[in-house]
Amino acid sequence: MNELIIEVRVNEYSMRDGNPNVPWTPEEIGRDARAIEAAGASVIHFHARRPDGSPAHEIADYAAAIRAIREHSDLLINPTLGQITKGGTLERIAHLEAFAGDPVLQPEIVGLDPGSTNIDVFDAEARRFVSADKVYVNAHSTLLAFTARFRELGIKPALACWSVPFLRSAAALMDMEAAAEPGYLLLVHGEGGQLGAHPATPEGLRAFTDHLPRGRRVEWAVCCKGGNAFPLAMNAIATGGHVAIGIGDYPYPELGQPDNATLVREVVRLARLVGRPVATPARTRSILGLPARR
């Protein structure tokens, strides 16, 4: 069976009320990078944060976090484009432009949502939305502009698909050679009131896998925003998919508010149960069609 890629979504925009281990500062993100690589991860996805946990989108903020990750690990780096916090224009890739050609700062991959969806959280008990105006807006014109520039910069898009229409757009981008094979697809599931993604159920995952691009080489991973990703992870591990997990998506109170490295060790344990090897950062670069790190 192919090697398992473990990506860790270390912080997103999560605060620490649910889990005190969420890393915010560059130093904390760097220490997390060292710990999760030692545990078996090969990719890190992070959001730049200020010391108080608020979003940070200055180029210097991204640079500090990436330097800390590089200092502590050999992980592939996948920084956010800040869709909600930065808007839907090319300003979202200003940090990628600033890091172009820099062997330390330029990331290998970057998350891109090939579609649009509502991401407001619904409070089922109160029967109301916590917010009512949060929308991921990704016009095809924007996607094509981003992917064209990513290709020029040598950065691979990680296509985050929230529903089957996203997958169909991802396939179109591959057909147009805007996104190179093998495609790296993140199949996003939502729980805890996240209604804009598939439910984190076998049926929700199967709807994705039934509609993976035909005739194209793809690597796919599962994640769950607002809920426990382990049921999905077990399915993906057994069927050739990959796993993206982290306390940025969900605080895991059932595991006693663990740190990210603990989650990685649990994923590795599940992989060992079925005899599936775990990919190193170097092997992950090869699997995703990326050059060796300079």
Side-chain angles (χ1 to χ4, degrees):
M1 189 177 289
N2 63 330
E3 293 156 279
L4 174 69
I5 295 170
I6 302 175
E7 177 174 341
V8 183
R9 299 163 61 80
V10 293
N11 59 5
E12 297 297 294
Y13 290 126
S14 292
M15 301 307 285
R16 290 176 175 163
D17 49 346
N19 188 321
N21 296 305
V22 178
W24 288 345
T25 68
E27 293 76 14
E28 292 166 350
I29 293 171
R31 289 196 298 268
D32 235 37
R34 178 173 57 206
I36 64 175
E37 182 182 24
S42 58
V43 182
I44 183 171
H45 171 68
F46 77 93
H47 289 229
R49 308 284 289 274
R50 295 192 175 92
D52 65 357
S54 59
H57 286 302
E58 297 301 321
I59 290 172
D61 298 316
Y62 287 100
I66 291 174
R67 287 187 188 282
I69 294 168
R70 297 290 195 211
E71 178 182 350
H72 289 285
S73 77
D74 191 40
L75 296 170
L76 284 75
I77 295 179
N78 175 5
T80 185
L81 296 187
Q83 215 284 352
I84 288 294
T85 50
K86 295 183 72 176
T89 68
L90 290 174
E91 70 183 274
R92 289 168 56 196
I93 63 171
H95 52 309
L96 305 183
E97 297 285 3
F99 303 154
D102 188 311
V104 172
L105 294 179
Q106 180 170 305
E108 291 87 351
I109 58 182
V110 65
L112 183 63
D113 305 85
S116 303
T117 190
N118 296 331
I119 64 163
D120 298 295
V121 173
F122 181 65
D123 184 334
E125 184 174 340
R127 298 185 181 182
R128 66 178 180 84
F129 283 99
V130 177
S131 64
D133 59 357
K134 292 186 177 181
V135 183
Y136 276 161
V137 178
N138 293 286
H140 285 118
S141 58
T142 301
L143 296 171
L144 290 170
F146 283 170
T147 53
R149 189 59 182 137
F150 293 168
R151 183 179 287 271
E152 292 169 351
L153 296 175
I155 298 172
K156 188 177 191 70
L159 299 170
C161 298
W162 291 65
S163 63
V164 169
F166 282 63
L167 270 182
R168 300 179 74 184
S169 286
L173 292 173
M174 296 178 71
D175 287 344
M176 299 170 69
E177 299 185 351
E181 295 184 53
Y184 183 39
L185 308 178
L186 178 63
L187 308 183
V188 182
H189 298 72
E191 294 294 333
Q194 286 278 359
L195 307 183
H198 286 202
T201 62
E203 294 81 7
L205 176 55
R206 190 167 60 247
F208 275 128
T209 56
D210 282 350
H211 293 86
L212 290 171
R214 301 285 189 264
R216 295 291 181 187
R217 291 185 298 122
V218 298
E219 300 291 340
W220 57 272
V222 295
C223 79
C224 183
K225 296 187 70 66
N228 189 319
F230 279 103
L232 296 169
M234 289 188 285
N235 193 315
I237 290 168
T239 57
H242 306 288
V243 175
I245 196 169
I247 60 176
D249 281 336
Y250 179 66
Y252 290 89
E254 55 268 73
L255 296 180
Q257 300 176 321
D259 57 19
N260 282 304
T262 298
L263 297 182
V264 175
R265 285 191 288 270
E266 285 298 309
V267 174
V268 171
R269 183 181 67 83
L270 293 174
R272 286 175 176 162
L273 286 176
V274 298
R276 187 166 178 195
V278 174
T280 64
R283 281 294 302 144
T284 296
R285 289 181 174 88
S286 177
I287 292 167
L288 297 181
L290 294 166
R293 183 177 167 189
R294 288 178 288 175

